[in-house]
Amino acid sequence: MRLYQITNLLGPLIVGLGLGGCGGGGGGGMAFIPAPPVTPTPTPTPTPTAMPAPFGLTSSQQFATFGMLNRSDAGKYNVEAADPDAIRFSWSAEANAYEVTLPGFAPAQLALTFPGNNPLAFHGIDASGNRLPLAISVWTPKDVGLNLSYSSLAFHSTYPEGGTDPFISGTFAFGIPTPAGYAPRTGTANYDAKVYGHTITDNGYYEITGDARLTFDFGGGSLSGYMRPRLFNDWDGVDRELGQYDFAQTVYSSGSTRFAGKFVAPNGQGDSAFQGHFTGPNAAELIAGWRAPYVDPFDNVSKSMAGVWIGKKQ
């Protein structure tokens, strides 16, 4: 499975959902300036250097984040929303490091686990300098695709296994939030997004993949669209369509940097929701968190799935 290719860094990923709070969406300008290129100086005995800022995602304000979260004691098929402020991710220019707060872990700075070898694998260091039982893999925009510039993904879990009780894992999308007052107020636009999620079944943990299309009428203040999730597990050879989830009860107003709504589930009844935030200048991209019911095609039982979207204006 594509997401499970990082398990050598993270350990098993388990599903759940937390809709992370959007940080930095308020007033006050913010420069979308990529990190300057680093010109290495060859030396016969390289020494560790400060962690570079990947992706160009540095900001004086907290990133917008949306994510899913799971605790191993949550119960069978149980998918619950985390507190809106549960996931925080930011860049500290003073420390020259990313700082993260995740449910179940102390606030931490990220440090490369394999300096000079694997630029995606990190671990957390607390304020006292102690290494936390937290592994985190941060993707680059090219890993996500869609030619992104202001948004990306991260995956985290307890590591080593047994380091926390219960075992904790999750995924979150993050990005430089479009500041208030800088979202379009005229015209329309489509955003194509990728779906990243998980679900718990009797057969174990499955990925939710797929695509979503969000259509905004910036002048009229309306949002429509759909999500087309798929149940996926490459180990078991599973790749099943779960139908089209049309948007309903959407919440969006002209000039807003945030949006929300629910789904019309094609099968099964259950609670559903999504909420998101534009990222980048002029709402160039977006990230969102979602949860929805589905009917498991293998046992015809209604279950829950949850995940994130990460998308780009077309």
Side-chain angles (χ1 to χ4, degrees), residues 60-150:
S60 60
Q61 301 182 47
Q62 182 177 303
F63 293 117
T65 58
F66 289 93
M68 53 186 166
L69 178 74
N70 184 77
R71 296 163 53 98
S72 59
D73 60 355
K76 189 174 183 179
Y77 308 148
N78 193 21
V79 179
E80 295 181 354
D83 182 271
D85 295 321
I87 300 173
R88 294 177 178 270
F89 196 48
S90 60
W91 169 256
S92 170
E94 179 181 0
N96 195 38
Y98 284 107
E99 298 179 339
V100 64
T101 299
L102 295 164
F105 299 95
Q109 287 186 356
L110 296 190
L112 286 165
T113 303
F114 309 105
N117 184 30
N118 188 331
L120 305 181
F122 301 91
H123 58 272
I125 303 294
D126 69 14
S128 299
N130 300 312
R131 181 165 176 167
L132 299 175
L134 165 67
I136 181 166
S137 179
V138 184
W139 280 15
T140 69
K142 65 182 176 62
D143 295 315
V144 180
L146 300 176
N147 195 28
L148 297 169
S149 299
Y150 308 102

Side-chain angles (χ1 to χ4, degrees), residues 176-197:
I176 299 176
T178 301
Y182 286 83
R185 291 182 176 274
T186 60
T188 63
N190 294 319
Y191 290 75
D192 286 340
K194 287 190 174 184
V195 175
Y196 294 88

